[in-house]
Amino acid sequence: MATNIYFSHKVQSETTLYEDIIIESLKMYGQDVYYLPRTMVNENKVFGEDVPSIFNSSYKIEMYIENIEGFDGEGDLFTKFGVEIRDAATFVVSRRRWTGLVSQQSNDISQIERPAEGDLIYLPLSNSMFQIMHVEHESPFYALKNLPTYQLRCELFEYNDENFETSNEEINKIERDGSYTYELTVDQPRAGAATVIIGDL
């Protein structure tokens, strides 16, 4: 027996209303985050990895954090190399809001249809940076014959010599704090002799 012909899930007005409610909920209960698209500098075609990466732009958008009791992941681990923080989080963003962000002319993310793995999300609430590991694009699963949101499963970002050149000073500060620099002092007490002192900044 076929489905009831008097009830349809394909009514566009109901689908739009459902999506409007989700967007309003995200704006009420979500957080303002910054999305940083990753720019590939020198991709390794053999292993499919990009060692030098640049993040030269950031875009403010609201996202909802699904973790209500704290970050997921393994938490803080004490290893022989020190303390490792392995926090994880799941962010929810509206497809329509994402499309509106991508459709802007002056951005660097106009070539992708959805958030991409490897891109970053900066959460000012906890002053932490998360890397997108997986984008779930079918949840909730066709509630009204549409897919209104993306779920971004993220892990805490580990700085590895990436270059940040955004217009947000708080984000650029991550590179300055995480990079390893040396101070070179040349002391020449007499002619013909020089002493070089290298120390951490």
Side-chain angles (χ1 to χ4, degrees), residues 127-167:
N127 193 24
S128 52
M129 187 79 72
F130 289 90
Q131 183 175 9
I132 300 175
M133 307 305 290
H134 175 68
V135 179
E136 178 58 57
H137 62 282
E138 289 185 329
S139 178
F141 189 69
Y142 297 98
L144 287 177
K145 301 294 185 182
N146 69 338
L147 299 167
T149 61
Y150 292 115
Q151 284 187 349
L152 313 178
R153 298 195 178 105
C154 308
E155 293 181 0
L156 198 63
F157 174 68
E158 294 183 12
Y159 179 78
N160 188 22
D161 202 28
E162 287 83 3
N163 191 6
F164 291 91
E165 296 179 0
T166 68
S167 58

Side-chain angles (χ1 to χ4, degrees), residues 89-104:
T90 301
F91 295 89
V92 179
V93 63
S94 166
R95 281 177 179 252
R96 191 195 302 170
R97 287 284 295 125
W98 172 259
T99 303
L101 181 67
V102 169
S103 63
Q104 297 176 4

Side-chain angles (χ1 to χ4, degrees), residues 64-186:
Y64 175 72
I65 306 174
E66 277 198 346
N67 316 86
I68 59 175
E69 295 183 356
F71 293 122
D72 287 340
E74 300 177 20
D76 302 342
L77 297 178
F78 294 93
T79 65
K80 62 181 178 180
F81 300 107
V83 179
E84 293 184 12
I85 303 175
R86 298 182 180 177
D87 289 339
T90 301
F91 295 89
V92 179
V93 63
S94 166
R95 281 177 179 252
R96 191 195 302 170
R97 287 284 295 125
W98 172 259
T99 303
L101 181 67
V102 169
S103 63
Q104 297 176 4
Q105 295 297 323
S106 58
N107 62 32
D108 296 335
I109 53 177
S110 57
Q111 302 300 323
I112 57 177
E113 299 178 357
R114 62 174 180 83
E117 289 82 359
D119 292 350
L120 301 181
I121 296 175
Y122 175 67
L123 180 62
L125 176 69
S126 60
N127 193 24
S128 52
M129 187 79 72
F130 289 90
Q131 183 175 9
I132 300 175
M133 307 305 290
H134 175 68
V135 179
E136 178 58 57
H137 62 282
E138 289 185 329
S139 178
F141 189 69
Y142 297 98
L144 287 177
K145 301 294 185 182
N146 69 338
L147 299 167
T149 61
Y150 292 115
Q151 284 187 349
L152 313 178
R153 298 195 178 105
C154 308
E155 293 181 0
L156 198 63
F157 174 68
E158 294 183 12
Y159 179 78
N160 188 22
D161 202 28
E162 287 83 3
N163 191 6
F164 291 91
E165 296 179 0
T166 68
S167 58
N168 191 321
E169 188 60 28
E170 288 296 320
I171 297 175
N172 297 339
K173 189 173 180 289
I174 295 173
E175 178 186 5
R176 293 196 301 270
D177 294 344
S179 59
Y180 196 71
T181 56
Y182 292 101
E183 181 183 20
L184 181 64
T185 305
V186 178

Side-chain angles (χ1 to χ4, degrees), residues 10-120:
K10 298 180 181 179
V11 179
Q12 185 61 40
S13 60
E14 293 182 1
T15 304
T16 305
L17 176 62
Y18 174 61
E19 196 168 5
D20 288 339
I21 293 173
I22 289 177
I23 293 175
E24 185 177 0
S25 300
L26 291 177
K27 287 181 176 291
M28 290 172 58
Y29 302 108
Q31 299 288 331
D32 285 331
V33 301
Y34 291 89
Y35 183 87
L36 287 79
R38 180 183 185 186
T39 302
M40 308 290 269
V41 177
N42 188 15
E43 184 180 4
N44 188 332
K45 300 295 185 181
V46 177
F47 295 104
E49 61 183 7
D50 173 39
V51 177
S53 299
I54 294 178
F55 299 93
N56 54 11
S57 58
S58 62
Y59 303 96
K60 190 175 184 180
I61 189 170
E62 71 278 354
M63 293 187 186
Y64 175 72
I65 306 174
E66 277 198 346
N67 316 86
I68 59 175
E69 295 183 356
F71 293 122
D72 287 340
E74 300 177 20
D76 302 342
L77 297 178
F78 294 93
T79 65
K80 62 181 178 180
F81 300 107
V83 179
E84 293 184 12
I85 303 175
R86 298 182 180 177
D87 289 339
T90 301
F91 295 89
V92 179
V93 63
S94 166
R95 281 177 179 252
R96 191 195 302 170
R97 287 284 295 125
W98 172 259
T99 303
L101 181 67
V102 169
S103 63
Q104 297 176 4
Q105 295 297 323
S106 58
N107 62 32
D108 296 335
I109 53 177
S110 57
Q111 302 300 323
I112 57 177
E113 299 178 357
R114 62 174 180 83
E117 289 82 359
D119 292 350
L120 301 181

